[in-house]
Each structure stands twice: as C-alpha cells, then as structure tokens.
Amino acid sequence: MSLYSQWKQIAFEHTEEQQAVKFWNEYCAVEKAIYEKVLEGPTTTINGILAGLAEEYGVDNVTFVGFIDGINTSLQSEINLEELDENSTVELNIDLEKLYYNMLEANAEWLYTLPQWDNIFTEEKKKEIKKSYNSTKTVVKEDKIGRNEVCPCGSGKKYKKCCGK
C-alpha cells in the first residue's frame, strides 16, 4: 500500500466523528509546526529524500505525505502523490502567494496568521491577497430588465413585447 493510500486511510476513513475530530486537531498542530519551520527558512524550496525530510520535520513518512497532499496545490509543479515512497526524491518549490491564498481558502486561520508571514509579506501584500480571495467569493447580480424598458436585443420594441414574451 502506498504512503498516500495509507494517509487517505488514516485521515479520511474514521468510523466515528469523535475519532475524526481528535485526529484532525492533532494533525493541525503538527501541520502548524511544519509550516513554522518551512516559513522561517531562507528558501521556498524543500529538497531531499522523503524519509529524511519527514525526520527533519519530526513526523513519520505517512504524515509527511499528508503535509505534501495539503501543500500540493501551492507548489509550482504538483507532485504525483501515489508514486511517493520513503526513498523518493522530493522537491517542493512553494509559491508563497498561492500558499497564503490557499490557506485563506481553506479557512486555516491557525496557518495564515502565523507570525512568520510578517517576514515574508507586508501587511499591504497580505491585504491584496485577501482582497483577491474575497473577490472570488463575491456574487454579482446582473441588473434586471424592466418589462417596459427597451429590449436589449436591439429590436426597438419593449422587452415585454419582444424577448420577454
């Protein structure tokens, strides 16, 4: 069984809600610790053998694959998680703007409020990314055409006598 399959089984196949809540609370604390180390680093690229990287960040191989699963859409090129094993060479080239945006989208306040972001982005840049995120959630309703207004098709007739029939 691949590491990714093991991760999916551990993370998503809980029989009781209480187990799932406990698991995710524990995992979020682990994830936060990993992100603190990643964001403090001088580079946005993480290279190495999966088992060595897992050890470096203080987690087991399956949990590290779970971390990669979470950060995968924030990488410059995504990784095929099914192919990973403990001897796989991993290169994570992180797009920090995309990562911050994805943390906002996931509503992961424990991650996008980390103090390490202050050394990476200015407050203005964080607000700009948040504004970009918020704009994707805004629903814009088009103006409704009144019955007695001129039809937008260009016929010159009232809407109710033309396309509004």
Side-chain angles (χ1 to χ4, degrees), residues 3 14 47 51 62 69 77 92 141 165:
L3 292 173
H14 297 281
N47 296 328
V62 175
D69 183 26
S77 58
L92 308 176
K141 291 184 178 180
K165 274 189 173 178

Side-chain angles (χ1 to χ4, degrees), residues 31-58:
E31 181 184 40
K32 180 179 178 182
I34 294 172
Y35 274 115
E36 287 172 342
K37 290 179 184 178
V38 168
L39 295 174
E40 284 177 353
T43 181
T44 58
T45 302
I46 300 169
N47 296 328
I49 304 296
L50 190 136
L53 290 171
E55 186 178 323
E56 180 182 337
Y57 289 101

Side-chain angles (χ1 to χ4, degrees), residues 43-85:
T43 181
T44 58
T45 302
I46 300 169
N47 296 328
I49 304 296
L50 190 136
L53 290 171
E55 186 178 323
E56 180 182 337
Y57 289 101
V59 295
D60 60 77
N61 296 339
V62 175
T63 303
F64 195 72
V65 169
F67 169 75
I68 296 172
D69 183 26
I71 199 172
N72 210 9
T73 58
S74 301
L75 301 176
Q76 292 174 2
S77 58
E78 291 190 26
I79 294 175
N80 184 344
L81 299 171
E82 287 291 345
E83 295 177 353
L84 292 177
D85 64 33

Side-chain angles (χ1 to χ4, degrees), residues 34 105 124 138:
I34 294 172
E105 190 169 43
E124 292 79 26
T138 304

Side-chain angles (χ1 to χ4, degrees), residues 74-161:
S74 301
L75 301 176
Q76 292 174 2
S77 58
E78 291 190 26
I79 294 175
N80 184 344
L81 299 171
E82 287 291 345
E83 295 177 353
L84 292 177
D85 64 33
E86 58 272 353
N87 298 316
S88 297
T89 301
V90 176
E91 184 172 340
L92 308 176
N93 292 314
I94 304 167
D95 181 336
L96 291 174
E97 284 188 35
K98 198 186 297 185
L99 177 62
Y100 191 81
Y101 181 94
N102 289 340
M103 287 176 175
L104 288 168
E105 190 169 43
N107 200 22
E109 187 176 345
W110 68 96
L111 297 177
Y112 67 77
T113 57
L114 287 172
Q116 287 81 355
W117 284 112
D118 296 337
N119 297 328
I120 297 169
F121 295 132
T122 62
E123 281 302 314
E124 292 79 26
K125 185 64 176 176
K126 288 193 273 187
K127 286 178 183 176
E128 178 185 317
I129 296 169
K130 182 148 177 61
K131 185 177 179 180
S132 170
Y133 163 72
N134 287 340
S135 70
T136 65
K137 302 299 174 206
T138 304
V139 177
V140 179
K141 291 184 178 180
E142 293 184 21
D143 291 337
K144 201 170 184 181
I145 302 166
R147 296 174 25 102
N148 291 317
E149 291 181 24
V150 177
C151 190
C153 75
S155 67
K157 297 179 183 179
K158 287 186 179 183
Y159 181 70
K160 68 182 177 184
K161 299 273 187 183

